[in-house]
Amino acid sequence: ASNMTSSGHGVQISASGVTLDLMGFALTGDRGATDNGVWLIGQTNAPLRGVVVRNGSVGNFGVGIRADQVEGGRIEQIASFSNSAHGIQFYSSYGRCNDMAIRDCVIVGNANYGIYLYGHTGQCVGNRITDSVISRNGDYGILLYGSSGRCDGNTISGCTISGNGTTGIHFFSPFGQCDGNMVVDSVIIGNATYGIFLNGSSGLCN
């Protein structure tokens, strides 16, 4: 019903089928490095399903929106800004963050990465980032990081990715794989080092 501030995590969701509608309001923190504005918390063998976060802004946390072990959900019409680490992060240690949608979002001015898909010993597969603006983040605009897991079959479409501190989109797969990803109908301009960087390292980027 109004703007909210928090000195720790903002909202934590640990059940499937939940919709968090911010109703156009702002959720803001105190830039605590370990705080998450909205934290979706699934389990390795029991991922959350069908969670939706929409319609508002999240800023000044460590990570604006973090999803651990979540499938088939949506993040839409969200502004994630001025967080001390990342705007949106999917994390899948030994589990999976698959078939998620990020759409019609503005991810601006975060200290490290705009959007971070981290398939650490797990899966970040089949996610879609569409019709979003990812700009002026301190490091990568979007990082798909296979690590020792998989970041496969993800799609980035209809996005504007500009003015980020290093690379616009970085596919990185040390000891893992970032295979079969697509970048479609997007504008990638004015990033400090590379527009798109495919880095197979000791893994695969096919």
Side-chain angles (χ1 to χ4, degrees), residues 10 15 34 40 52 73 86 88 97 117 128 131 137 146 153 155 166 183-184 189 195:
T34 61
L40 313 181
V52 178
H86 318 308
I88 296 174
C97 273
L117 275 59
R128 302 171 306 285
D131 301 323
N137 299 288
T155 301
T166 56
V183 181
V184 183
I189 192 168

Side-chain angles (χ1 to χ4, degrees), residues 52-167:
V52 178
V53 181
R54 67 186 182 199
N55 190 24
S57 61
V58 183
N60 290 329
F61 290 92
V63 176
I65 298 176
R66 174 170 169 158
D68 293 5
Q69 323 297 3
V70 182
E71 289 189 314
R74 304 194 311 275
I75 299 168
E76 57 190 12
Q77 296 178 328
I78 289 288
S80 186
F81 64 94
S82 298
N83 296 289
S84 64
H86 318 308
I88 296 174
Q89 179 180 0
F90 294 171
Y91 182 68
S92 60
S93 179
Y94 297 99
R96 53 195 185 271
C97 273
N98 296 342
D99 304 315
M100 295 284 290
I102 298 171
R103 63 190 186 199
D104 195 19
C105 291
V106 177
I107 317 296
V108 174
N110 300 285
N112 291 345
Y113 314 145
I115 297 175
Y116 184 18
L117 275 59
Y118 186 21
H120 173 60
T121 61
Q123 302 177 15
C124 275
V125 172
N127 300 290
R128 302 171 306 285
I129 303 168
T130 60
D131 301 323
S132 295
V133 174
I134 302 104
S135 67
R136 301 194 309 278
N137 299 288
D139 200 338
Y140 305 120
I142 301 174
L143 173 61
L144 288 82
Y145 187 26
S147 188
S148 297
R150 297 171 54 202
C151 237
D152 297 343
N154 301 287
T155 301
I156 299 162
S157 67
C159 292
T160 299
I161 303 163
S162 64
N164 296 289
T166 56
T167 301

Side-chain angles (χ1 to χ4, degrees), residues 15-41:
S16 293
V18 171
T19 295
L20 173 63
D21 192 334
L22 296 176
M23 301 293 288
F25 292 108
L27 177 61
T28 56
D30 59 1
R31 290 182 66 82
T34 61
D35 296 339
N36 303 305
V38 179
W39 192 5
L40 313 181
I41 311 170

